[in-house]
Amino acid sequence: MKNNTHLPDDSALNVMDGIASSHDGMSATVRKRFVKKDRTIPVEELTEKISNGSRLHLAKGITLLESITPADKIAGQQVLLNLLPKTGNSIRIGITGVPGAGKSTFIEAFGLMLANAGHHVAVLAIDPSSTITGGSILGDKTRMEELARHPGAFIRPSPTAGTLGGVHKKSRETMLLCEAAGYDVILIETVGVGQSETVVRGMVDFFMLLVLTGAGDELQGMKKGIMELVDGIIVHKADGDNLKLAKKTVREYRQLLHFLQPASLGWTPTSLPVSSIKLTGLEEVWETVLAFKATMDTNTFWAERRQSQTKDWFRSMINDRLIDTFFAEPGRKEQVAELEQALLKGDITVAGAVERLFLG
Amino acid sequence: MKNNTHLPDDSALNVMDGIASSHDGMSATVRKRFVKKDRTIPVEELTEKISNGSRLHLAKGITLLESITPADKIAGQQVLLNLLPKTGNSIRIGITGVPGAGKSTFIEAFGLMLANAGHHVAVLAIDPSSTITGGSILGDKTRMEELARHPGAFIRPSPTAGTLGGVHKKSRETMLLCEAAGYDVILIETVGVGQSETVVRGMVDFFMLLVLTGAGDELQGMKKGIMELVDGIIVHKADGDNLKLAKKTVREYRQLLHFLQPASLGWTPTSLPVSSIKLTGLEEVWETVLAFKATMDTNTFWAERRQSQTKDWFRSMINDRLIDTFFAEPGRKEQVAELEQALLKGDITVAGAVERLFLG
């Protein structure tokens, strides 16, 4: 599993990581000063330190990749390019679920189990509203306190700036940097805003959905087709009075999954009951992930999926760039809005509207 | 339902329609001659004749819209623009299903029932491999013989040229032209190649899936998430020895649909058994469509969906144009292919590859 034998050598810097992980709540001034300090580290040094597992430098590298300053972006890309040969050696797990399903509690329990077993666990979020930051109501205090203090774990909240497309790009690069720093399990949380589930499915090997008891009913708020994106469904809070119902729900989901097309060729998605309070079912989840990897390895789907994910990422970035450039032209948005109004009134055909955009 | 009181006045031209509908099998010379003859009709005359329900002129108008000749395209767009005020007054029904589910048999039986009840029924296909043309093995002979001969029906095979995006555009325009010609029920068939189901879902009001007995198992070949795109599932060939099993399958699908997010706000998709041989269940399908329309009308979802479909169509055509233009530049495809190889080898980052494409 783990092919980086080093252990993080900077546990004394955990407090610093805590700052790096939660600086979204800082004033702009404090943040600016913090970022400024990063810039003084040369690319070569940053590359080496990240490669040696320094969480402080990993956080700094990620900050460079997330920066909107051209110089930072160039430096960040250079660090990433240097580290590319060290990437890819992790199991990438996506975690989604309805609000209230207990995603952060699960990630804390699951991550701690893995970290205590010697794994290096990185936790990332794909969207600004994810629970990793604890939400604005709770301020900077992360909900995954114990995991955040563990020397084998690294927690990074989602970049708050930019479109989902931008966050997507940054989260992928963050994932690669974490792998280069020796993290062999990457947990990526998403709350399912807009297209984020599809984005995360396109980034990970194993995609799991957290639900509560009562199959189906609570999926109303989820993205359509979510059931056919997942490799496993965890029925969470399977403890106490809820245990019996949770087991029934697991059976219902297994039956349902049988009817649907599997997300990963050759793997029949399954459902498992988990309690993050009683710490039951967590090992079974990990065993399922390992069984999944073994299956995927035999049919070469693992490597092929990662290759096709990289290609899709490239294509979608080309697409985004073309659209962004087009709509960034002065007056373009207004022009499109006017044409849309004309379309809805029946004053113009769609083909005519497109011609008007492109031929003058 | 029907707000065009005229009846097709050109039933004597059915044979001509037959030619127009099946000229894909003609030699290029014959086809060219046929198209050439169309050009002589002025736009105003074509507009008026289509508006009066002439199937011959409707077929000619569609041919203009499908043409790749600039002059034809301009004429076709002008006819469409003239007729836009008369469009939109139909129920648009999408029909998809696994191969062998009997889509053409169903469309023939369902279409005949509606046409005999006084509806004007247009049948279109979204992809070249659809059953409407009868497939190349059967040559030009359409499978929907009786419906094709009915004076209240118009059958148009899919344009064979171009990408799905192009076919998509043409099929939408064809649909509008049929509406302007007084067709109040549009049936759009798709066989589910690639993205075609999503495309059809984005064109129609009611989207139905045809399946055979044995819920789930035969959905393996379908697009992921298809179950959550549909407003109704028809279990076909519900007759003879198969009837009991079909009814059981209907119950299974109803249970399954309960778990999934509905495709149309406020409408719980249902499942119905149908036999196109015994002609049972067809009226129930139509009643379901009407009940669906009544539900959608009360919550304004019907009109809103059509508006958002038109906007999406416009956006996707802008997107397609940008991509097409970009990849049409000399050497572009080769450059992207080279960068993809470098990406997979880890010689370059995705962001770096994109920069190289856009900054030289």
Side-chain angles (χ1 to χ4, degrees):
Chain A
M1 206 65 263
K2 294 176 296 165
N3 42 16
N4 290 282
T5 50
H6 69 268
L7 279 165
D9 55 2
D10 57 350
S11 48
L13 291 170
N14 284 354
V15 181
M16 204 60 192
D17 280 356
I19 294 172
S21 302
S22 60
H23 67 198
D24 290 328
M26 287 186 192
S27 73
T29 325
V30 175
R31 183 170 179 159
K32 198 175 167 190
R33 211 183 310 142
F34 184 82
V35 173
K36 217 163 204 152
K37 215 176 61 187
D38 290 350
R39 286 206 194 123
T40 59
I41 306 176
V43 163
E44 292 69 27
E45 190 188 333
L46 203 52
T47 302
E48 201 198 326
K49 290 278 171 65
I50 292 173
S51 188
N52 288 336
S54 159
R55 292 196 291 183
L56 175 63
H57 292 87
L58 173 59
K60 287 179 178 177
I62 295 170
T63 302
L64 282 184
L65 287 170
E66 291 176 358
S67 170
I68 54 164
T69 315
D72 285 357
K73 280 164 91 169
I74 291 168
Q77 286 297 319
Q78 190 54 53
V79 171
L80 181 59
L81 186 60
N82 292 345
L83 290 169
L84 272 188
K86 295 197 72 184
T87 64
N89 301 310
S90 79
I91 293 186
R92 303 165 181 172
I93 302 173
I95 298 163
T96 189
V98 294
K103 286 185 293 296
S104 49
T105 316
F106 170 78
I107 291 172
E108 164 114 335
F110 188 60
L112 273 173
M113 179 190 79
L114 294 173
N116 286 334
H119 288 286
H120 297 177
V121 182
V123 183
L124 314 174
I126 194 71
D127 28 37
S129 51
S130 88
T131 54
I132 289 185
T133 56
S136 52
I137 297 165
L138 296 176
D140 290 339
K141 195 164 163 295
T142 171
R143 284 185 193 163
M144 302 170 197
E145 284 183 72
E146 205 179 334
L147 184 61
R149 282 196 302 267
H150 196 290
F154 177 81
I155 297 181
R156 181 80 184 187
S158 170
T160 48
T163 58
L164 177 62
V167 170
H168 163 200
K169 170 185 167 292
K170 287 165 185 172
S171 298
R172 279 183 176 275
E173 293 178 344
T174 300
M175 178 174 80
L176 294 175
L177 228 52
C178 289
E179 288 177 345
Y183 291 91
D184 64 311
V185 179
I186 315 279
L187 304 178
I188 302 179
E189 184 198 344
T190 178
V191 291
V193 177
Q195 289 299 306
S196 70
E197 269 135 350
T198 313
V199 166
V200 173
R201 167 75 274 181
M203 287 173 68
V204 301
D205 306 308
F206 190 95
F207 192 41
M208 64 172 79
L209 170 67
L210 253 69
V211 297
L212 299 175
T213 48
D217 291 339
E218 87 282 2
L219 284 181
Q220 293 296 318
M222 299 295 292
K223 185 183 161 59
K224 276 178 204 178
I226 183 72
M227 298 278 291
E228 283 163 300
L229 292 177
V230 303
D231 301 304
I233 295 179
I234 287 171
V235 179
H236 204 208
K237 305 187 184 176
D239 41 41
D241 293 345
N242 204 32
L243 182 57
K244 204 176 158 191
L245 187 55
K247 284 184 175 171
K248 182 171 172 284
T249 305
V250 162
R251 284 193 300 274
E252 287 174 345
Y253 271 116
R254 283 185 182 171
Q255 199 185 349
L256 200 56
L257 287 166
H258 167 74
F259 284 124
L260 301 171
Q261 197 176 352
S264 307
L265 203 68
W267 173 260
T268 305
T270 189
S271 183
L272 291 167
V274 167
S275 167
S276 297
I277 306 300
K278 298 275 182 190
L279 302 179
T280 52
L282 294 165
E283 283 179 26
E284 286 78 1
V285 173
W286 183 240
E287 281 160 17
T288 300
V289 171
L290 293 181
F292 172 83
K293 186 177 192 313
T295 306
M296 294 295 108
D297 278 342
T298 50
N299 65 15
T300 74
F301 191 70
W302 186 271
E304 282 167 21
R305 168 180 269 167
R306 283 189 170 187
Q307 290 207 340
S308 99
Q309 284 176 341
T310 300
K311 281 193 214 172
D312 290 347
W313 178 20
F314 182 39
R315 293 291 173 136
S316 81
M317 278 192 67
I318 294 174
N319 207 338
D320 289 351
R321 178 71 79 102
L322 289 170
I323 301 285
D324 289 351
T325 308
F326 183 74
F327 280 97
E329 285 168 39
R332 184 66 81 191
K333 278 175 194 154
E334 294 75 11
Q335 189 191 12
V336 169
E338 272 169 36
L339 288 169
E340 267 178 359
Q341 287 310 308
L343 271 177
L344 296 185
K345 277 193 277 176
D347 292 343
I348 194 170
T349 67
V350 168
V354 173
E355 286 312 312
R356 211 171 289 183
L357 275 178
F358 285 89
L359 299 182
Chain B
M1 209 64 267
K2 295 177 295 164
N3 41 19
N4 291 281
T5 50
H6 70 269
L7 279 164
D9 55 3
D10 58 349
S11 50
L13 291 169
N14 282 355
V15 180
M16 206 59 193
D17 279 359
I19 295 171
S21 303
S22 59
H23 65 202
D24 290 329
M26 288 187 195
S27 73
T29 324
V30 175
R31 182 169 180 157
K32 199 175 168 191
R33 212 182 310 142
F34 184 82
V35 173
K36 218 162 203 154
K37 216 176 62 186
D38 291 349
R39 286 205 194 122
T40 59
I41 305 177
V43 162
E44 293 68 28
E45 190 189 333
L46 203 51
T47 302
E48 202 199 323
K49 290 278 171 64
I50 292 173
S51 188
N52 288 335
S54 159
R55 294 196 290 182
L56 174 64
H57 292 87
L58 173 58
K60 287 179 176 177
I62 295 169
T63 302
L64 283 183
L65 286 169
E66 290 175 359
S67 171
I68 54 164
T69 315
D72 285 355
K73 280 165 90 170
I74 290 168
Q77 286 297 318
Q78 190 54 53
V79 170
L80 181 58
L81 186 60
N82 293 344
L83 290 170
L84 272 188
K86 294 197 73 184
T87 63
N89 300 310
S90 79
I91 294 186
R92 303 166 181 170
I93 302 173
I95 299 162
T96 189
V98 294
K103 287 186 291 297
S104 50
T105 316
F106 170 77
I107 291 172
E108 162 113 334
F110 189 59
L112 272 175
M113 179 190 77
L114 294 172
N116 285 333
H119 288 285
H120 297 178
V121 182
V123 182
L124 313 174
I126 196 72
D127 27 39
S129 51
S130 86
T131 53
I132 288 185
T133 56
S136 53
I137 297 167
L138 296 176
D140 290 338
K141 196 165 164 294
T142 171
R143 284 188 193 162
M144 301 169 197
E145 283 182 72
E146 205 179 334
L147 185 61
R149 281 196 303 266
H150 197 289
F154 177 82
I155 298 180
R156 182 78 184 188
S158 171
T160 47
T163 59
L164 179 61
V167 171
H168 163 200
K169 169 184 167 294
K170 287 165 186 173
S171 297
R172 279 184 176 276
E173 294 179 342
T174 300
M175 177 173 78
L176 295 175
L177 228 51
C178 289
E179 289 178 344
Y183 292 90
D184 64 310
V185 179
I186 315 279
L187 305 178
I188 302 179
E189 183 198 346
T190 178
V191 290
V193 176
Q195 289 298 305
S196 70
E197 269 134 352
T198 313
V199 165
V200 174
R201 168 75 273 181
M203 287 173 68
V204 300
D205 306 307
F206 190 96
F207 192 41
M208 63 173 78
L209 171 67
L210 252 69
V211 297
L212 298 175
T213 48
D217 290 338
E218 87 282 3
L219 285 182
Q220 293 297 318
M222 299 296 292
K223 185 184 162 57
K224 276 180 203 174
I226 183 72
M227 297 278 292
E228 282 163 301
L229 292 178
V230 302
D231 301 304
I233 296 179
I234 287 170
V235 179
H236 204 208
K237 304 186 184 176
D239 42 41
D241 294 346
N242 204 32
L243 183 59
K244 204 178 159 187
L245 187 56
K247 285 184 174 171
K248 181 170 173 285
T249 304
V250 163
R251 285 193 300 275
E252 287 174 346
Y253 271 117
R254 285 186 181 169
Q255 199 185 352
L256 201 57
L257 287 166
H258 168 76
F259 284 124
L260 301 171
Q261 198 177 351
S264 307
L265 202 68
W267 174 260
T268 305
T270 188
S271 184
L272 292 168
V274 168
S275 166
S276 298
I277 306 300
K278 299 272 183 190
L279 303 179
T280 52
L282 294 167
E283 283 179 26
E284 287 78 1
V285 173
W286 182 240
E287 281 161 18
T288 300
V289 171
L290 292 182
F292 172 83
K293 185 175 191 316
T295 307
M296 295 295 108
D297 278 341
T298 52
N299 65 16
T300 75
F301 190 71
W302 185 272
E304 282 167 21
R305 169 181 269 168
R306 284 190 169 185
Q307 290 207 340
S308 99
Q309 284 177 340
T310 300
K311 282 194 214 172
D312 290 348
W313 177 18
F314 183 40
R315 294 291 172 136
S316 82
M317 277 192 67
I318 294 174
N319 207 338
D320 289 351
R321 178 72 79 104
L322 288 169
I323 302 285
D324 289 350
T325 309
F326 184 74
F327 280 96
E329 285 167 38
R332 183 66 81 192
K333 278 175 195 157
E334 295 74 12
Q335 189 190 12
V336 169
E338 273 171 34
L339 287 168
E340 268 179 0
Q341 287 310 309
L343 271 178
L344 297 184
K345 277 194 277 178
D347 292 343
I348 193 169
T349 67
V350 169
V354 172
E355 286 312 313
R356 210 170 290 182
L357 274 179
F358 285 89
L359 300 179

